[in-house]
Amino acid sequence: MNSNLLQQALGYRFTHIDLLEQALTHRSFSSHHNERLEYLGDSILNFTIADALFDRFAGANEGELSRLRARLVKKETLAEIARTLELGDLMKLGSGELKSGGFRRDSILADGLEALLGAIYKDGGIAACSAVIYKLYSERLAQLDLAQPMQDPKTRLQEYLQARGHPVPEYSVTKITGETHDQQFTVECRVVAFGFTTIGLGTSRRRAEQHAAEQALIQLKV
């Protein structure tokens, strides 16, 4: 895909093409890279999706809205959308990133998409940028359902924190007791942003982490 086809797929035509070029430039390629546009695009994306969810789910509480938004704006989702636009083929990367397959990496694709949204905002304003976001997310927004089963506690806790710009929780095993075939794990879950730690117990590390995350969600009243 070339830049003309990209603009066609977005449903948006740039007036200032230099903004598009900057959005597609990784810091490994040039000092005139896309990180400032990425910062801007991230903020606009979060607001636009929050606004769309607010209108779509009138009966949802703050925790439910935050959970849905986190699912839509997480790195993996952004990378999926970027791949449908074949954004990786247009990204300008340094030789090292090219050799290591950076054009396929979720983080680079997600950041590139956010930078692209930031560039659209600077070029055409908030209405134009929101229209592109709605176009890219139309199917995902239509498929959302509050009645869908909740994710596991670890995922819910991580998405809750990420949606607010906080660091992810830190897990550590503090004790293992019992025989090899009948062990009991004790895990601490440290939620740095809110300054508390919870304890989880389980017959495996994973189960103990899930239990600790569940206790953290209860403390956060999510």
Side-chain angles (χ1 to χ4, degrees), residues 130-219:
S130 295
V132 171
I133 291 172
Y134 284 126
K135 177 180 174 66
L136 296 176
Y137 275 91
S138 59
E139 288 187 15
R140 286 175 169 81
L141 286 168
Q143 291 169 1
L144 286 179
D145 184 358
L146 280 177
Q148 290 175 342
M150 289 287 282
Q151 294 152 306
D152 64 86
K154 279 188 68 176
T155 302
R156 286 170 54 202
L157 177 59
Q158 179 170 318
E159 291 189 350
Y160 176 86
L161 294 171
Q162 287 180 323
R164 289 158 178 75
H166 298 315
V168 297
E170 300 172 0
Y171 297 92
S172 58
V173 177
T174 58
K175 187 189 298 184
I176 303 175
T177 59
E179 302 296 329
T180 304
H181 64 281
D182 187 26
Q183 290 182 323
Q184 178 84 349
F185 289 76
T186 303
V187 166
E188 284 187 353
C189 172
R190 186 166 175 246
V191 184
V192 178
F194 292 89
F196 68 80
T197 299
T198 58
I199 304 297
L201 302 174
T203 54
S204 68
R205 175 172 181 162
R206 181 181 179 281
R207 289 181 178 176
E209 288 177 348
Q210 295 286 6
H211 183 222
E214 187 174 12
Q215 298 307 306
L217 289 168
I218 291 172
Q219 191 155 330

Side-chain angles (χ1 to χ4, degrees), residues 57-130:
F57 297 102
N61 61 39
E62 186 265 353
E64 290 170 325
L65 292 173
S66 295
R67 174 174 61 85
L68 291 174
R69 181 181 61 177
R71 185 190 306 174
L72 292 173
V73 303
K74 65 182 180 179
K75 176 180 65 178
E76 292 80 6
T77 302
L78 291 172
E80 286 176 9
I81 294 173
R83 288 189 178 94
T84 66
L85 297 170
E86 299 181 18
L87 206 60
D89 295 340
L90 296 175
M91 294 293 297
K92 297 177 182 177
L93 306 174
S95 58
E97 288 291 354
L98 281 173
K99 290 177 182 176
S100 64
F103 58 92
R104 293 190 298 266
R105 193 171 305 133
D106 278 4
S107 58
I108 287 179
L109 291 172
D111 292 348
L113 181 60
E114 288 180 335
L116 184 60
L117 296 175
I120 292 171
Y121 166 71
K122 294 304 290 182
D123 188 70
I126 188 66
C129 187
S130 295

